[in-house]
Amino acid sequence: LCVEYLFGVDLFNRGYWWEAHEAWEACWRAAGRDTSCGLFLQGLIQTAAACLKKFLGQKVGMRLLAADALEKFPRGRDYSLGVPLQALRREVEDCLLKEIADYPIIRLHGVPAPDQPGNGS
């Protein structure tokens, strides 16, 4: 995994969604926008944008971006770029579509989950 990708994950998990989006842009272009890796990265970018919309109180934009993001996550696989896909799908749905949780966290296989954004971490 590349440094920019991991930096984007760290930014995302700390609530810096715009900055995460920017970090992942270069990875997305390098991966190829129509590859499965590129589509997954685009989904992460859209998830970050949806989180920003949630923070700004723009619920319609949040839901549209979250739904688009979920469509980009690979089906029939357990992981993509070290991310457990079922857990990520559940978090995006709960946090951005159902609004029953705060913000999604991107967990990497074998790495402890960070605290939620805004919890003083």
Side-chain angles (χ1 to χ4, degrees):
L1 299 177
C2 73
V3 172
E4 290 85 1
Y5 169 72
L6 295 173
F7 185 52
V9 170
D10 193 41
L11 288 166
F12 181 94
N13 287 340
R14 296 183 187 288
Y16 293 96
W17 303 294
W18 178 258
E19 293 83 354
H21 165 275
E22 290 293 309
W24 289 326
E25 281 278 339
C27 300
W28 180 39
R29 286 190 300 273
R33 294 175 186 229
D34 294 327
T35 65
S36 89
C37 181
L39 289 171
F40 176 66
L41 286 164
Q42 185 182 18
L44 291 179
I45 290 166
Q46 289 174 319
T47 301
C51 288
L52 186 56
K53 294 284 188 188
K54 178 177 182 165
F55 180 78
L56 295 172
Q58 299 173 0
K59 292 186 178 194
V60 172
M62 172 193 72
R63 287 187 188 104
L64 290 172
L65 283 164
D68 284 348
L70 287 169
E71 291 298 316
K72 307 278 186 328
F73 296 161
R75 301 233 179 249
R77 292 176 43 195
D78 293 333
Y79 297 92
S80 186
L81 296 177
V83 177
L85 292 169
Q86 286 185 343
L88 180 59
R89 277 184 207 288
R90 186 172 46 254
E91 291 230 2
V92 170
E93 289 171 357
D94 288 351
C95 299
L96 301 172
L97 295 180
K98 298 176 187 172
E99 296 187 67
I100 59 173
D102 200 7
Y103 290 96
I105 294 291
I106 297 173
R107 292 166 174 78
L108 296 175
H109 183 69
V111 177
D115 290 334
Q116 286 283 78
N119 287 347
S121 54

